[in-house]
Amino acid sequence: MTMLCLKAASLLSTKPFYLHSPVARHQLNPFFSSFKPQKPYSAAASRSQIRMSSSSTPPQTIEHIVLFKVKENTDPTQINTMIHSLNRLISLDSVLHLTAGALYRTKSSPIPFTHVLHSRYSSKENLSAYALHPTHVQVVKESVLPICDDIMAVDWVTGDLNGGDSLVPPSGSAIRLTFLKLKEGLGDEVKDEILGVIQGIKDTFGGIDHISCGENFSPARAKGYSIASLAVFRGLSELEAVDSEKELANLEKAKVRDYLESVMVFDYVVSSSSV
């Protein structure tokens, strides 16, 4: 599966682009610790102004997340050019939604990523078309690779996002990204249990517009993280309210903790310039 930078990286080097660094163990994000799972999850189960009519809203959506680690001491002008160039990719026909910018906060990660891109597609074929598009390849080659030390990308299939109403997170939304690396040897039943637990979060905490989760289908750039989720809050105050809940501090209550090797958690705020 071609991912952001996968095609362009091969133009510059025959070696893998991202740096292989040891992944430390992290405690489970408190976000998972005090709720009941929803019903069992089944993995089979106009662009940033919604490019399609409500009658053609896809029954499922492809989520594409890319994390970037910009090199230290990079000229801010180069960083701004990267962000602007990435956000302009919303103009590509295959893209339903795309936003890119600096991370607001890293809650847990062995790699100090600095920026994120989030985009959505109606099919895996459209994601591939985006990755191979000459404009995308040019942006990666000219604006991304020269200033980034590391890149991680994760893709998954999610549901219909409230019939399409939640396809484009509005400006000011706070997004929490969580990536789980599971212990080896776990079967599909365990993965479905974990995904069911994640889906149940929305019924437990207020302020969440929608939650998207699934199993990564593009392992080449995911650094071993196989389960991903994206929770969209109405704003930062709603996200902070979840973090401040006292009962969330007891990580031992987390139903899925014994299955996890490592967790990455990042927060991102959708800005008006990226929608």
Side-chain angles (χ1 to χ4, degrees):
M1 175 67 191
T2 54
M3 301 299 313
L4 180 81
C5 307
L6 189 58
K7 184 79 173 179
S10 64
L11 300 174
L12 303 183
S13 173
T14 57
K15 298 180 181 180
F17 173 72
Y18 60 77
L19 306 176
H20 293 276
S21 56
V23 179
R25 289 177 177 268
H26 293 273
Q27 289 186 317
L28 179 63
N29 173 21
F31 197 45
F32 291 106
S33 65
S34 179
F35 53 84
K36 297 180 180 179
Q38 232 181 21
K39 60 184 179 181
Y41 176 91
S42 174
S46 121
R47 62 164 46 113
S48 257
Q49 299 306 331
I50 305 190
R51 174 171 276 159
M52 28 180 202
S53 67
S54 57
S55 61
S56 62
T57 299
Q60 63 182 25
T61 303
I62 306 302
E63 300 276 22
H64 178 57
I65 298 290
V66 185
L67 294 164
F68 308 90
K69 179 180 176 291
V70 172
K71 297 175 184 177
E72 293 185 11
N73 302 318
T74 298
D75 188 326
T77 301
Q78 290 180 285
I79 298 175
N80 290 336
T81 297
M82 179 186 77
I83 295 172
H84 178 69
S85 299
L86 290 172
N87 278 308
R88 289 185 64 184
L89 295 174
I90 186 63
S91 64
L92 301 184
D93 288 339
S94 60
V95 180
L96 296 177
H97 164 69
L98 186 148
T99 178
L103 288 167
Y104 173 73
R105 174 173 55 200
T106 297
K107 297 281 290 184
S108 173
S109 176
I111 303 171
F113 289 112
T114 57
H115 294 76
V116 64
L117 177 144
H118 171 220
S119 54
R120 286 171 165 166
Y121 308 82
S122 60
S123 67
K124 292 181 180 180
E125 291 75 18
N126 281 344
L127 172 58
S128 294
Y130 159 83
L132 294 171
H133 196 284
T135 301
H136 170 262
V137 174
Q138 182 180 13
V139 167
V140 171
K141 181 180 178 180
E142 296 180 359
S143 301
V144 176
L145 294 181
I147 67 171
C148 287
D149 274 336
D150 206 350
I151 294 173
M152 172 177 165
V154 180
D155 303 311
W156 71 95
V157 180
T158 191
D160 66 356
L161 300 176
N162 299 332
D165 292 339
S166 300
L167 185 62
V168 179
S171 174
S173 299
I175 297 178
R176 170 151 296 175
L177 301 168
T178 304
F179 304 106
L180 308 181
K181 179 182 287 189
L182 306 185
K183 294 178 179 178
E184 294 184 3
L186 299 179
D188 290 340
E189 289 185 2
V190 171
K191 295 177 183 178
D192 288 348
E193 178 185 354
I194 293 171
L195 290 168
V197 168
I198 295 172
Q199 284 196 327
I201 294 172
K202 188 176 186 299
D203 296 332
T204 304
F205 302 111
I208 300 177
D209 180 75
H210 67 274
I211 286 182
S212 164
C213 64
E215 185 173 0
N216 175 48
F217 61 78
S218 303
R221 288 289 174 115
K223 302 184 184 294
Y225 290 81
S226 60
I227 300 292
S229 70
L230 180 154
V232 179
F233 292 79
R234 301 184 188 105
L236 269 176
S237 59
E238 287 81 3
L239 176 58
E240 301 289 359
V242 168
D243 283 346
S244 66
E245 293 285 350
K246 292 182 179 180
E247 64 267 24
L248 298 182
N250 190 353
L251 301 183
E252 296 300 328
K253 292 182 179 178
K255 191 170 183 180
V256 301
R257 184 182 182 189
D258 290 341
Y259 302 143
L260 303 181
E261 179 179 328
S262 179
V263 179
M264 285 185 174
V265 183
F266 306 95
D267 294 336
Y268 170 65
V269 178
V270 180
S271 68
S272 57
S273 61
S274 61
V275 295

